[in-house]
Each structure stands twice: as C-alpha cells, then as structure tokens.
Amino acid sequence: MYNWLHNFSFSYLCPLSNFMAASSILERLERYPQFCDGALLLLREKAAGSIQPLLMADWSELHNDVLEHLTSFFSLPDCHRFGSVCKIWHLVAREKHHPPQQLPWLVLGEDDAAHKRKFFSLEENRTYLIDIPELQGQQLCGSSYGWLFTMDVELNFRLLNPFTRRCYDLPPPGGEGLMVAKAILDRDPSHSPEFKVLIIMHGERNRLAFWKLGDPTWTLIPDASYFFDDIIFFKEEFYAVAAFNSNNDIYLINTGPNPNVKRVGPHVKIHGTFAYLVDYMGELLLVQRYREVFKDMVFITKRIIIIKVDLEGKKYSEYKPSEGYSVFMGANSCMTVDPRKYAGCKKNALYLTDMPLQIFGKHGSKDIWIYDMVEGSFSRYYSARQYIPASPIWLNPNP
C-alpha cells in the first residue's frame, strides 16, 4: 500500500549510532497525552533491556509489537522522524494505518522549483514539501475525511486520498462555464462505499448537485438556484445556506429518489458578504464573514458574526463560546477540535482560510486568519508576507 512517507528522504542510522534519534523520539512521545507514563516506561525498559543502560540499547531489536504500538501515537511528521532511525523502524512506519487524531494541515500551492505541493503543519509551525503527482496542476475545491476534491484546467474532476493515492474519477460538473465552488462527502470512502458527494456549482445559475458511486452523471437538485454560500453534512443530513432577500436562509437537501430542497430554521439577517455552516459539537452555527475589497482586488476579512441556529424552534441567537473548542473552516468540511489535546492550537478560535472559488490573478490570497471568538480579534496563523498563489484548504491528516 502506498504511503506518503515514501515521498520523504530517509537516512538510515546504524544500531550503534542511532541513540540520539531514538531518544529524541521517546522525548517527543511525552508531548502526547494519550501515551501514558506506564507505556512509556515499558518502552524504555524494552529498549534498554534488564541490564543494559539506555545508552547501550540496540534500538533496532525492539519488538515489532512495541514499535507498532509506539507509532499509533505519532503525528505524520513524527512518524517520518521515527522511520529515519533505522531500516526496521522505517518498515514499521510505512505500515502505519491508524495515526492519532491530530490538527488539520493546511494545503497550499505548488513549489515551482521543487514541483511538490506545500503542506503547513500548524502543530509544528512548519511547511513540508511532499511529492504527490496527482496534485500537480490541480485546483482544490473541497476536503472531507482526509480526501481532496481536485479539478484541472480541462475540468477533470476527481476525489483523491493523498495518503493512499486512492482516487475516484467523478463526472464532469455540468455545462460550459460551471465551476465547483465547494464539494463535501457524507462519509469516509475509506470505510464505506455507500458515500455521496454534494457540490455547489457556480455559473450563470447557482446550482446544487449530488453523485453517488455508480452514477454516470450528477443529479441536479430541482428548485435549488439560490445564491448558495456553503454546504454541510450535519446530523446525517445535507444542509445549505443561501442569501435571499437580505437574509441567510438554511435549506435541508434531500438526495433521495425525489431530490429537493426545503427551507428550515429562521430567517437570519445578513451582516456579512459570505456565510458558513459549522457543526460545533452537535450545535449548528451560522458564521457570517464580512470582507472589504482593497486595491488590486485584495480581500481582507474585517468582521465575524457567529449565530447559534435552532432549526426545530426556527429561532437564532448570538453564540457565546464556553466550551473552548476551535474550528477549522473554509472550502473544507468544517472540523472542530479540542485545543487542549494539541500543541499550537488556540482555544475558542476560528481558523479561517480564503473563501471558496476565489479567483486569483497575479497576486493570489492573503486573507487567512485566526479569529478569537471571545476577544473578537484577528491574528495570523501562517506567515503571509507573500500572496498564496492558490486558495489554501484545510485537510484532515487522519487517514
């Protein structure tokens, strides 16, 4: 099975000279709250043996069951470091199938010199160059469950898992001039072949369509020609938010035998230029984003309004954060994380990327921020001294 660890360069260290690398791995493990002191102590004992001190341990002779248990707590970068200790550890790292939950990675544009895709790790505050040929020359228009939706200049539309390189060829999105603004999944294709894809198509008319495995074409949803901003899979249903008559309205999307849309919930007065739907620990939030346009068509977010929506009661209220969770949102399916479990993640924060279907000229994008939901303030999470030449998107690195 392909593993994107193949795309890193590895230097193999002999058993007698790899103490520093292996010791560093053990020290890094202490960052992971899931790895209990007892397990760490057991690992040290097995590494050192009953009579050998840690300095004299032959790290290459650790049992595979211990090594496999060890890698189950590693993030992808730490798994790469683990695999560089020796050949045996590298083989174990390549078979790593169940990594721990970790912070989303930001997928950036291509590095022109290296011809590799750039990935930014928030937890490490570091950018990686990774060779994934299927991403070369591709525009990203969605991200769900660790899968990416890609489209090239010829409108070839695909669903790609960058970790395994498994790929689904999707039908063309529609007529001439139609572009996919956002695409999402209802479940992980790695675990279920019964998945569906929902897309927003922008063109002369704004349309919704869905596809399931085996369908030859997209199924257009009748009476769905509103100005849709965002879509979400929430509590086993698809929903969309649209701007209509100075309001943000939420629609339930029926993708059954008789597809249709039905307005649900209250009318919410528009206070922004774009709206997102967020699953915040089982509660539905409507996030309104107001942006101003500056010289050379540079967009900058100036205000965020967060609204808690009660679909059944058809009412809404201002949301006041209390749980401390943070949200990663943009062209991806939104992801909510507990920042107490990760280094480098702020609590009560919205991690914003640029808006879907942002058309970039020679300048690109710079409108990426952390929004503090308590203080109402903005700060940077990625150095944007230069414009990003493609719309960045969050990716769940948990294959």
Side-chain angles (χ1 to χ4, degrees):
M1 178 180 290
Y2 175 89
N3 187 299
W4 73 344
L5 287 166
H6 292 178
N7 293 323
F8 287 105
S9 298
F10 288 90
S11 59
Y12 298 115
L13 308 176
C14 69
L16 294 180
S17 65
N18 63 9
F19 166 72
M20 290 303 293
S23 296
S24 175
I25 290 294
L26 289 176
E27 291 173 1
R28 294 183 69 82
L29 268 177
E30 295 172 351
R31 297 186 318 161
Y32 297 95
Q34 307 98 318
F35 202 80
C36 64
D37 293 339
L40 190 60
L41 179 60
L42 174 63
L43 178 64
R44 290 189 182 277
E45 288 175 350
K46 284 185 175 292
S50 58
I51 58 176
Q52 285 184 306
L54 189 63
L55 284 170
M56 299 299 294
D58 187 342
W59 295 89
S60 66
E61 293 185 0
L62 280 173
H63 296 170
N64 276 11
D65 59 342
V66 175
L67 296 175
E68 290 170 2
H69 184 66
L70 179 67
T71 59
S72 70
F73 297 94
F74 282 156
S75 65
L76 289 171
D78 283 343
C79 198
H80 154 59
R81 296 183 183 95
F82 175 90
S84 69
V85 172
C86 63
K87 289 184 178 180
I88 293 176
W89 287 29
H90 177 52
L91 293 176
V92 172
R94 284 178 55 181
E95 298 303 318
K96 172 183 168 61
H97 299 306
H98 301 288
Q101 292 295 305
Q102 52 195 286
L103 286 178
W105 281 34
L106 189 66
V107 186
L108 302 166
E110 294 182 38
D111 184 274
D112 294 333
H115 300 291
K116 296 179 181 180
R117 201 81 184 201
K118 291 186 287 188
F119 291 76
F120 175 70
S121 169
L122 181 67
E123 192 167 1
E124 293 195 308
N125 192 29
R126 179 176 177 180
T127 301
Y128 290 89
L129 296 179
I130 303 177
D131 183 16
I132 303 178
E134 291 83 354
L135 288 182
Q136 291 183 4
Q138 300 293 314
Q139 175 71 26
L140 303 180
C141 48
S143 169
S144 290
Y145 300 102
W147 293 72
L148 291 170
F149 289 93
T150 71
M151 183 175 289
D152 61 21
V153 293
E154 297 179 351
L155 300 185
N156 294 310
F157 194 23
R158 295 184 179 90
L159 175 62
L160 169 71
N161 188 317
F163 308 101
T164 65
R165 286 177 75 178
R166 186 178 173 186
C167 181
Y168 291 93
D169 290 323
L170 305 177
E176 184 177 353
L178 285 175
M179 293 294 295
V180 176
K182 186 168 184 176
I184 64 171
L185 292 162
D186 65 345
R187 64 200 65 209
D188 188 349
S190 301
H191 301 142
S192 172
E194 304 297 325
F195 66 91
K196 286 183 180 179
V197 179
L198 181 69
I199 61 174
I200 303 175
M201 294 189 294
H202 281 178
E204 291 185 3
R205 289 197 299 168
N206 196 346
R207 304 297 301 270
L208 294 178
F210 69 92
W211 176 88
K212 62 181 184 296
L213 194 62
D215 288 353
T217 60
W218 293 92
T219 300
L220 288 174
I221 298 175
D223 303 319
S225 298
Y226 304 99
F227 291 99
F228 291 105
D229 282 345
D230 197 18
I231 48 180
I232 191 174
F233 189 68
F234 175 71
K235 293 186 176 180
E236 299 302 312
E237 300 283 359
F238 283 117
Y239 292 89
V241 60
F244 186 72
N245 286 344
S246 301
N247 291 314
N248 280 140
D249 290 333
I250 298 174
Y251 295 85
L252 174 64
I253 312 302
N254 177 10
T255 58
N258 299 302
N260 59 73
V261 297
K262 176 184 177 182
R263 191 181 68 81
V264 293
H267 295 292
V268 181
K269 187 70 174 178
I270 292 178
H271 295 285
T273 53
F274 199 87
Y276 300 88
L277 293 174
V278 172
D279 181 354
Y280 192 78
M281 307 305 294
E283 294 183 328
L284 185 63
L285 301 183
L286 175 66
V287 178
Q288 296 179 334
R289 181 177 187 175
Y290 175 74
R291 307 207 309 173
E292 292 183 359
V293 184
F294 291 85
K295 189 173 76 171
D296 295 327
M297 294 297 291
V298 174
F299 293 84
I300 298 295
T301 299
K302 305 299 289 186
R303 185 170 71 247
I304 294 289
I305 297 175
I306 306 172
I307 298 163
K308 179 180 176 181
V309 180
D310 180 357
L311 294 178
E312 294 183 0
K314 293 191 175 183
K315 57 185 179 180
Y316 66 93
S317 59
E318 180 183 359
Y319 175 72
K320 297 179 180 179
S322 59
E323 300 297 327
Y325 291 94
S326 294
V327 180
F328 292 78
M329 53 191 290
N332 57 287
S333 293
C334 66
M335 292 173 276
T336 303
V337 303
D338 184 351
R340 294 170 298 184
K341 297 181 179 180
Y342 308 99
C345 184
K346 295 186 177 181
K347 66 178 182 178
N348 294 315
L350 300 181
Y351 284 81
L352 300 163
T353 62
D354 213 314
M355 290 163 55
L357 204 68
Q358 178 64 53
I359 304 301
F360 303 114
K362 62 182 181 179
H363 297 294
S365 167
K366 230 182 179 182
D367 195 24
I368 54 177
W369 302 94
I370 303 172
Y371 177 74
D372 188 311
M373 292 187 282
V374 175
E375 301 294 332
S377 59
F378 292 90
S379 60
R380 294 282 189 187
Y381 61 83
Y382 179 77
S383 176
R385 289 186 296 271
Q386 297 180 344
Y387 288 94
I388 302 170
S391 183
I393 190 170
W394 290 112
L395 173 69
N396 181 358
N398 300 301

